[in-house]
Amino acid sequence: MIVRIMGEGQVRLDDSALERLQPLDDALEAAIESGDDERFRAALVELLGAVRAEGSPLAGDELLPSDLVLPDADAHVDDVRALLGDEGLIPDPS
Amino acid sequence: MGLAKRISLLFKTKANAALDKREDPRQTLDYSYTKQLELLQQVRRGVADVATSRKRLEVQMGQLQTSADKLDGQARAALQAGREDLAREALTRKSGLQGQLQELKAQHTQLDAEEAKLTQAAQRLQAKVESFRTRKETIKATYSAAEAQTRINEAFSGISEEMGDVGLAMQRAEDKTAAMQARAGALDELLASGALDDPTRPRDDIQAQLDAIGADSQVELELAKLKGELPAGQGGAGDAQRQIEGTGEQAK
């Protein structure tokens, strides 16, 4: 499983690690729904910390799409909501 | 991993939409590579822009610090001359400058972090672009539609995700730099107007008063010295008056 932390790069995660991270992700989703930036940030920082600890960084020349993409630790809850909105913040790649 | 899955799908959707635009996948590869090189250029320019802004902040911080140090020296000089009111004024201005300095320092830290992130992003992108180029040539050389399609999809999705990520990082760095530049511009105007004590101005009012005190005591000193030089008994006002009048007559 390949996970990207936006602004940081990609890591490889074992499927077993993914199960351990699931509760942290649930907390993050709930925080986004609430729109509370403080709560969102706390959940995000915890999840990112766990992903960094469990994952091993992908080599610079490995070119693989990610199965999961996580916002960077500085992202505001409004940024992420906008990202998930209809328009999306991700620039067109071509 | 609901949220992370949704974001990754966003990236994939964008990539697929771009792939679908072209009939021959090999064209997509070449076109995308051109785009990657353009983005790499943009990111490098972005890094340079952030560095320029950071340096400008450093210059302004230096100016403010010089002003603060100068006001500190003036406060000391004023106290030595027994002018507590003047010392108080100098210290009040200094504390205003220190407030500004604190804010600039905080901004500097932010910008520093932004620069580091963008530099790393540029390095990552460069490695991926290089990897894409190699893979692109291999795929083109061994091209058979069925076999290549999957590999193209993978390579293209991988690179477009990286590009999207870097694009977002650039956008944020640009936003922060723009905000910082607006502030730096305002500060430059303040410095130019003299509202913040500008050390490049030759004299300010506090210095003028301190100089006046200094000049007064210098005059007293020289006067005392002159008096001491006069021969005993010739210090009368009458002698001096006659001497001055005499000079005047010679001049006529």
Side-chain angles (χ1 to χ4, degrees):
Chain A
M1 179 75 74
I2 308 289
V3 182
R4 171 180 296 274
I5 299 175
M6 284 171 72
E8 269 187 41
Q10 295 165 293
V11 298
R12 205 184 293 273
L13 267 187
D14 281 348
D15 288 352
S16 59
L18 210 60
E19 276 170 39
R20 289 196 290 281
L21 298 178
Q22 193 59 54
L24 296 178
D25 182 60
D26 292 344
L28 183 66
E29 281 239 70
I32 289 184
E33 294 306 323
S34 78
D36 178 349
D37 189 52
E38 236 169 84
R39 194 176 147 198
F40 164 74
R41 187 157 321 284
L44 180 59
V45 166
E46 200 178 345
L47 179 56
L48 291 179
V51 169
R52 287 188 202 109
E54 302 263 3
S56 49
L58 223 62
D61 59 354
E62 278 188 89
L63 198 56
L64 292 170
S66 308
D67 301 293
L68 302 171
V69 178
L70 284 166
D72 67 287
D74 292 340
H76 192 274
V77 67
D78 293 342
D79 295 338
V80 177
R81 294 177 76 142
L83 190 73
L84 296 172
D86 288 342
E87 296 292 311
L89 282 178
I90 301 172
D92 204 327
S94 65
Chain B
M1 302 295 278
L3 167 74
K5 189 87 211 164
R6 273 154 79 194
I7 301 181
S8 86
L9 281 176
L10 282 176
F11 278 114
K12 287 195 178 75
T13 309
K14 289 266 184 189
N16 285 335
L19 266 182
D20 287 346
K21 275 188 207 153
R22 273 152 224 287
E23 284 181 6
D24 185 345
R26 284 172 298 183
Q27 269 185 8
T28 314
L29 292 179
D30 286 334
Y31 182 69
S32 174
Y33 182 62
T34 313
K35 286 282 170 190
Q36 291 159 32
L37 292 180
E38 279 172 18
L39 181 64
L40 199 51
Q41 281 295 326
Q42 280 176 25
V43 176
R44 287 185 182 137
R45 270 202 299 275
V47 171
D49 283 350
V50 176
T52 306
S53 292
R54 174 179 52 77
K55 282 176 198 150
R56 186 172 176 196
L57 259 189
E58 281 162 10
V59 169
Q60 287 188 327
M61 282 162 65
Q63 283 180 338
L64 289 181
Q65 188 61 55
T66 308
S67 291
D69 291 348
K70 186 183 166 199
L71 284 165
D72 197 62
Q74 287 176 333
R76 281 168 207 279
L79 264 189
Q80 273 168 8
R83 288 287 306 276
E84 200 178 317
D85 58 324
L86 212 52
R88 193 178 298 278
E89 172 64 24
L91 291 179
T92 307
R93 287 187 203 176
K94 183 183 151 195
S95 98
L97 289 188
Q98 273 167 337
Q100 291 267 3
L101 256 177
Q102 284 308 317
E103 285 176 35
L104 287 193
K105 272 183 195 157
Q107 224 165 10
H108 187 261
T109 310
Q110 269 191 8
L111 223 52
D112 233 15
E114 215 58 56
E115 191 179 342
K117 267 196 228 165
L118 218 49
T119 307
Q120 280 172 2
Q123 284 164 359
R124 268 202 309 275
L125 184 61
Q126 180 163 10
K128 303 271 185 201
V129 168
E130 186 52 36
S131 174
F132 184 89
R133 190 187 62 81
T134 316
R135 194 142 4 148
K136 169 172 86 81
E137 293 313 317
T138 319
I139 292 173
K140 278 166 80 178
T142 61
Y143 181 73
S144 76
E147 155 211 30
Q149 192 60 55
T150 347
R151 295 166 62 200
I152 289 176
N153 274 335
E154 191 185 69
F156 188 76
S157 297
I159 195 72
S160 57
E161 184 186 309
E162 191 71 42
M163 288 168 77
D165 189 356
V166 169
L168 274 180
M170 282 238 307
Q171 215 174 54
R172 290 180 52 167
E174 275 170 17
D175 288 350
K176 282 196 183 158
T177 312
M180 189 256 117
Q181 279 174 340
R183 190 192 162 78
L187 198 57
D188 273 345
E189 275 177 32
L190 267 178
L191 284 168
S193 75
L196 292 175
D197 185 30
D198 180 356
T200 58
R201 273 193 300 160
R203 275 163 56 122
D204 54 55
D205 53 342
I206 292 180
Q207 192 57 48
Q209 292 194 52
L210 281 174
D211 288 350
I213 297 171
D216 283 352
S217 54
Q218 189 64 28
V219 167
E220 293 302 324
L221 269 178
E222 288 203 22
L223 207 57
K225 191 177 154 206
L226 282 178
K227 278 182 185 166
E229 282 172 4
L230 290 176
Q234 288 191 7
D239 289 349
Q241 189 63 29
R242 273 193 296 281
Q243 278 185 17
I244 290 170
E245 281 169 4
T247 316
E249 277 164 18
Q250 279 174 11
K252 279 180 193 170

